[in-house]
Amino acid sequence: MLTQKSERFLNNSEFKESLFYAREALKLSISLNDDYFKSISYKIIASNYEELSEYEKSIANYNIALQYAEKIGNSDLLSRINNNIGNIYFFHKKEYEKALDLYDKSIFYGEQIQDTSRVAFANLNLAWAKFDIGQYDEGYKHLNYINKNIHYLNADAVPVVFMLNGMYNSYKGKVDIATSDFEKSIAEATRLKQDVDLSFAYLEYSMFLNKYGLYKSAFENLDQYRILRSKIYDQQKLKKALSEGLNFEIDEYKRALVQINQEKADQASKLKKSRITVYLFVAGIIGLLIILYSVYKNYLYKKKLNSELQIANSELKIAKDMAIEAAKVKTQFVSTISHELRTPLYGVVGLADMIMEEYKGSANSKHLNSLKFSAEYLLSLVNDILQINKIEENKLVLEKYCFNLVDQLETIKDSLSFISKFNKNNIVLDIAKDIPANLIGDKIRLCQILINLISNALKFTSNDEVLLKVSLDKKLGEVCFLKFEVIDHGIGIAKKNQEKIFDKFVQIERKNEDYQGTGLGLSIVKKLVNLFGSEIYIESEEHVGSTFTFTIPFDADQEKCKKMMEDEIIDHQTCKPLKILVVEDNKINQIVTCKTLRDKNHSCEVAESGSKALDLLESEHFDAILMDINMPVMDGYETSREIRKRGFKIPIIALTAYGRDEIIERVLASGMDDCLVKPFEAVTLFTIINRLVK
């Protein structure tokens, strides 16, 4: 093609030939009215002018190319052209702010089409630009990106990458590494016959050698630079190229002249039609008067209608206010119910654990295990209701944790072993080998999704296996899209019911012997998968089995993950036993909390009320306070405010059955330092205590 020939001549610094073929390509694209090739042709012509140091002409032609690229919405062309204009403004016109803005646009369009090669090339120019003005640390961010994505660049850009690494290592004083980088740049540019890049490599190497006193070698490399630049810009060659450029400008003037003549012809045609236009105008005025009369009559009718609508809107506003009030009542009801249920559950679960620990022989007791399982199931039911309420109110947000996928899935498998043994099933994990070991994302929500799906599969499958298959669907940069499949060979779901199962409180064809759940599990799963920006799909056949599939993106940047893990390392052991004040009015909760503390060699005192707590603080020293929120007479908030008013700086941790996000602002405002929801893991309690005490 003409444009390809033109670009080949341009790459070989044969400007006359390049301009000739670009002109021919432009003529053809104009005759075919092809905006894409118009943009390409103007871009090549602009590149020739840039090489010939005709920067104003170059920018003018780049801008025409940019107009055609914007017209067809071609992000690839927009990225390349913005990058080239940025080079002119930076390296030749020294308008740095404008240049950096153009480079950013180039990266934006490259990312828009997910073209890593285009983004990498723009970063290359940004790094070079920053180095050129001495901003080496800023430029290194872009160089680091290039080094990681060098395989996306064309081979002819590799010499420049080596040269930039040499410039940065020279700045850092790494003489040997910089020398190696410059020599690689020269060797690679020589091999590829890239005279322009080779000349820049000689120039930068010369400056590097001169900086370290190697004047002879510096002069030799500078001489090589001059020889190459003379070869590239041979005067005879430039004259021919400029004459070809003049021919192009003549073509442009001719096209402009044709356009002017066409516009004149159009104007003459319009004048001939002007008389008809006058007649039509008069007829239009008459028609407009008729329309105005009609509009006036409509106005009177709408005025009456608007009066009726205002009354209706007032009624709707009243209904809306009532609905908002009802929603508040619902939220308060759910919060209150959760508190009332969680408080005794804390005692039941805690006492069951204490009995099993103190009386080792009772660990295998069916009755005790049933008691604990029933309490945990009731807690799960409460949490399901709260979970669905939070999601519907958009209060749930994804967290970021660094976690090991294999370890996490093995933990899920172990936690569901009781359910799997009940129906004589086996859980099988099939994890693809190409998935990175550590990932960054919300592991808690992922586990919640998988536990719901796998437990459902186990409940409706007997004497078989449930397969959890995880594969790498695709990878974009450092982001891995993992495909999860939960496969069972159970009773299956009829086609007509497959959409219903994700609705709240729906249980399809339930039998008396089936597991009795809330009907919220799959509804929560669907909403959590949506929260990850994905969808869940089901394939199922009655008496054959079901497959649930969804895909979730996780950050797989191992360096970032390593740093997060280092930040998360917490010493859960205190240097000495602590004395802790437990402010709690519930007798059972007093027993459970104190037993948990004493098992870790801490001592504790119990205050049944806020006033008793204040008396104890006046007479004894404590390292921390565990404060129940809901107490009669003086609640936890009031007690904490009074403690702070008296000047005590002791860490105070709220223990509550309310949801953390419901009360955390009020907790902190009252002077408490943190909040823990009952029932809680002992390790979580001691982590908070250690952090606050230290």
Side-chain angles (χ1 to χ4, degrees):
M1 291 176 68
L2 295 172
T3 53
Q4 291 173 340
K5 280 186 179 181
S6 181
E7 285 184 326
R8 280 201 300 273
F9 281 118
L10 174 61
N11 291 335
N12 293 323
S13 301
E14 299 290 340
F15 306 123
K16 178 179 181 297
E17 291 79 2
S18 177
L19 277 167
F20 172 76
Y21 283 109
R23 282 177 58 211
E24 294 303 310
L26 182 58
K27 289 176 185 176
L28 183 60
S29 61
I30 289 171
S31 67
L32 297 173
N33 197 25
D34 189 321
D35 289 334
Y36 173 77
F37 280 106
K38 288 179 192 175
S39 181
I40 291 284
S41 302
Y42 276 111
K43 186 183 80 69
I44 297 171
I45 291 164
S47 297
N48 275 277
Y49 278 128
E50 183 181 351
E51 292 296 323
L52 295 168
S53 301
E54 295 276 354
Y55 301 122
E56 295 303 329
K57 291 181 182 178
S58 177
I59 291 172
N61 283 282
Y62 273 136
N63 283 331
I64 297 172
L66 204 59
Q67 288 171 11
Y68 284 115
E70 287 172 346
K71 184 178 177 182
I72 59 176
N74 189 303
S75 293
D76 177 57
L77 275 175
L78 289 168
S79 178
R80 286 193 279 169
I81 295 168
N82 276 292
N83 181 76
N84 291 357
I85 303 174
N87 287 340
I88 295 175
Y89 277 106
F90 197 95
F91 293 105
H92 303 295
K93 296 177 76 66
K94 305 300 181 184
E95 295 183 26
Y96 301 124
E97 290 298 326
K98 191 165 186 177
L100 294 176
D101 181 57
L102 289 161
Y103 287 141
D104 287 338
K105 284 183 180 178
S106 177
I107 291 174
F108 168 77
Y109 288 118
E111 289 174 342
Q112 201 173 58
I113 55 173
Q114 298 178 351
D115 187 344
T116 308
S117 65
R118 183 56 38 211
V119 175
F121 194 75
N123 272 281
L124 183 144
N125 281 324
L126 264 171
W128 197 346
K130 293 291 177 68
F131 288 176
D132 198 57
I133 59 175
Q135 294 181 0
Y136 286 94
D137 292 328
E138 282 292 316
Y140 180 69
K141 297 174 186 176
H142 304 290
L143 179 58
N144 189 39
Y145 179 89
I146 299 161
N147 288 332
K148 287 182 180 179
N149 296 278
I150 192 168
H151 51 283
Y152 287 107
L153 289 169
N154 293 331
D156 56 10
V158 172
V160 178
V161 177
F162 282 128
M163 182 189 76
L164 292 175
N165 278 287
M167 292 168 71
Y168 181 73
N169 286 314
S170 170
Y171 161 71
K172 284 293 186 180
K174 299 177 181 178
V175 178
D176 293 339
I177 299 174
T179 301
S180 173
D181 288 332
F182 282 123
E183 289 175 352
K184 286 177 185 176
S185 176
I186 291 168
E188 193 66 15
T190 304
R191 184 181 71 80
L192 295 170
K193 298 180 181 178
Q194 292 287 111
D195 287 346
V196 175
D197 292 339
L198 181 58
S199 70
F200 286 129
Y202 276 128
L203 179 62
E204 292 296 338
Y205 192 26
S206 171
M207 289 191 287
F208 164 72
L209 292 167
N210 186 67
K211 176 182 175 182
Y212 288 98
L214 302 171
Y215 303 116
K216 182 181 178 183
S217 296
F219 178 78
E220 289 170 354
N221 280 275
L222 184 61
D223 196 42
Q224 289 293 330
Y225 166 76
R226 288 169 180 161
I227 292 168
L228 276 172
R229 299 311 283 185
S230 296
K231 175 185 172 185
I232 294 167
Y233 296 108
D234 177 77
Q235 290 302 313
Q236 190 62 31
K237 185 190 294 184
L238 289 177
K239 285 179 183 178
K240 291 178 181 178
L242 290 172
S243 70
E244 193 61 41
L246 187 60
N247 290 336
F248 163 71
E249 289 173 19
I250 291 169
D251 287 348
E252 289 290 281
Y253 290 141
K254 286 179 180 178
R255 277 192 284 274
L257 188 60
V258 169
Q259 187 175 354
I260 290 168
N261 289 332
Q262 183 63 46
E263 287 174 358
K264 283 184 177 179
D266 290 342
Q267 286 176 357
S269 176
K270 288 175 183 176
L271 286 170
K272 289 179 182 178
K273 296 174 182 177
S274 61
R275 187 174 298 172
I276 298 171
T277 304
V278 171
Y279 293 143
L280 291 174
F281 178 73
V282 173
I285 290 291
I286 295 169
L288 182 61
L289 291 172
I290 295 169
I291 291 169
L292 285 173
Y293 177 72
S294 175
V295 167
Y296 175 70
K297 292 206 71 175
N298 281 334
Y299 165 74
L300 295 176
Y301 171 73
K302 285 181 179 179
K303 187 176 180 182
K304 179 184 175 184
L305 189 62
N306 282 339
S307 177
E308 295 172 358
L309 284 173
Q310 284 176 358
I311 296 170
N313 284 337
S314 299
E315 293 173 351
L316 284 172
K317 187 178 183 304
I318 294 169
K320 178 187 172 185
D321 292 341
M322 290 174 66
I324 292 171
E325 187 62 32
K328 287 180 181 177
V329 171
K330 171 195 165 188
T331 302
Q332 184 60 42
F333 171 75
V334 170
S335 177
T336 304
I337 287 295
S338 71
H339 178 272
E340 294 302 322
L341 289 172
R342 275 175 163 167
T343 299
L345 282 173
Y346 172 60
V348 174
V349 174
L351 287 172
D353 284 333
M354 286 170 56
I355 294 169
M356 294 174 77
E357 187 175 336
E358 289 184 6
Y359 303 97
K360 302 296 182 184
S362 66
N364 297 321
S365 167
K366 289 192 298 183
H367 302 302
L368 191 56
N369 278 316
S370 296
L371 171 67
K372 187 177 179 185
F373 179 79
S374 297
E376 289 175 344
Y377 165 68
L378 186 55
L379 180 62
S380 172
L381 185 149
V382 173
N383 288 336
D384 278 353
I385 294 170
L386 287 173
Q387 191 82 64
I388 206 76
N389 195 52
K390 282 184 181 179
I391 294 172
E392 287 178 348
E393 292 183 0
N394 295 317
K395 290 183 178 178
L396 202 64
V397 293
L398 295 176
E399 302 291 342
K400 287 194 176 182
Y401 308 95
C402 182
F403 65 96
N404 183 288
L405 180 66
V406 175
D407 291 348
Q408 208 67 37
L409 298 184
E410 289 289 351
T411 302
I412 291 173
K413 180 180 176 181
D414 293 342
S415 69
L416 295 174
S417 60
F418 177 80
I419 300 175
S420 64
K421 289 175 184 176
F422 184 79
N423 281 347
K424 299 178 182 178
N425 291 316
N426 185 31
I427 302 172
V428 178
L429 302 179
D430 180 4
I431 307 167
K433 301 294 184 186
D434 56 350
I435 297 175
N438 295 316
L439 301 169
I440 299 172
D442 198 327
K443 64 178 181 180
I444 295 173
R445 305 304 174 202
L446 174 64
C447 290
Q448 195 172 357
I449 292 168
L450 293 175
I451 287 172
N452 267 300
L453 291 175
I454 297 171
S455 60
N456 267 358
L458 292 168
K459 291 163 197 168
F460 299 106
T461 303
S462 299
N463 298 305
D464 210 315
E465 69 177 31
V466 171
L467 172 64
L468 171 58
K469 184 177 181 181
V470 189
S471 57
L472 183 59
D473 187 49
K474 63 180 176 180
K475 188 174 182 182
L476 296 177
E478 294 293 341
V479 178
C480 291
F481 287 76
L482 302 189
K483 182 180 179 182
F484 295 85
E485 297 172 85
V486 177
I487 305 167
D488 69 64
H489 303 289
I491 62 174
I493 303 166
K495 288 282 185 186
K496 64 180 181 180
N497 294 325
Q498 287 178 15
E499 287 297 322
K500 299 178 187 175
I501 61 171
F502 294 109
D503 295 336
K504 288 187 291 185
F505 308 112
V506 171
Q507 293 163 319
I508 305 299
E509 297 179 1
R510 174 191 236 172
K511 301 180 180 65
N512 289 333
E513 65 270 18
D514 287 342
Y515 176 81
Q516 301 293 307
T518 61
L520 287 172
L522 288 178
S523 177
I524 290 172
V525 164
K526 181 176 175 62
K527 290 180 184 296
L528 288 177
V529 170
N530 292 159
L531 199 62
F532 278 103
S534 184
E535 293 289 340
I536 186 166
Y537 304 96
I538 178 175
E539 291 181 9
S540 185
E541 187 177 340
E542 287 187 281
H543 312 301
V544 175
S546 304
T547 299
F548 288 85
T549 307
F550 60 93
T551 302
I552 290 180
F554 291 99
D555 189 346
D557 188 329
Q558 298 303 299
E559 287 298 320
K560 192 189 296 183
C561 200
K562 181 181 177 183
K563 186 177 185 307
M564 287 178 71
M565 286 192 289
E566 289 172 354
D567 293 342
E568 287 174 3
I569 294 173
I570 298 172
D571 179 13
H572 295 300
Q573 301 297 323
T574 55
C575 55
K576 62 178 182 178
L578 302 174
K579 186 175 181 182
I580 297 172
L581 176 60
V582 178
V583 186
E584 170 68 71
D585 65 321
N586 186 292
K587 296 293 184 184
I588 295 176
N589 290 350
Q590 290 173 5
I591 295 169
V592 173
T593 304
C594 289
K595 180 68 170 59
T596 303
L597 293 169
R598 287 166 183 155
D599 283 347
K600 291 294 181 181
N601 298 321
H602 300 307
S603 62
C604 61
E605 290 284 339
V606 176
E608 297 86 358
S609 65
S611 57
K612 177 70 181 297
L614 292 169
D615 292 341
L616 284 171
L617 284 170
E618 294 292 349
S619 59
E620 297 184 44
H621 168 76
F622 294 95
D623 296 297
I625 301 171
L626 301 183
M627 178 73 68
D628 183 33
I629 294 293
N630 196 23
M631 296 185 295
V633 185
M634 183 184 288
D635 63 17
Y637 301 117
E638 189 179 348
T639 305
S640 299
R641 281 193 291 270
E642 186 61 31
I643 290 171
R644 296 302 184 219
K645 193 183 293 182
R646 296 188 184 189
F648 293 105
K649 305 294 184 183
I650 304 169
I652 306 174
I653 302 161
L655 296 185
T656 177
Y658 289 106
R660 178 184 172 83
D661 55 347
E662 296 175 46
I663 64 166
I664 186 63
E665 289 186 10
R666 193 176 173 192
V667 163
L668 297 175
S670 66
M672 290 182 265
D673 300 283
D674 210 332
C675 174
L676 190 58
V677 178
K678 297 183 287 189
F680 51 79
E681 296 278 345
V683 67
T684 307
L685 172 64
F686 293 120
T687 298
I688 295 174
I689 291 174
N690 293 344
R691 172 169 56 80
L692 294 176
V693 170
K694 287 180 181 180

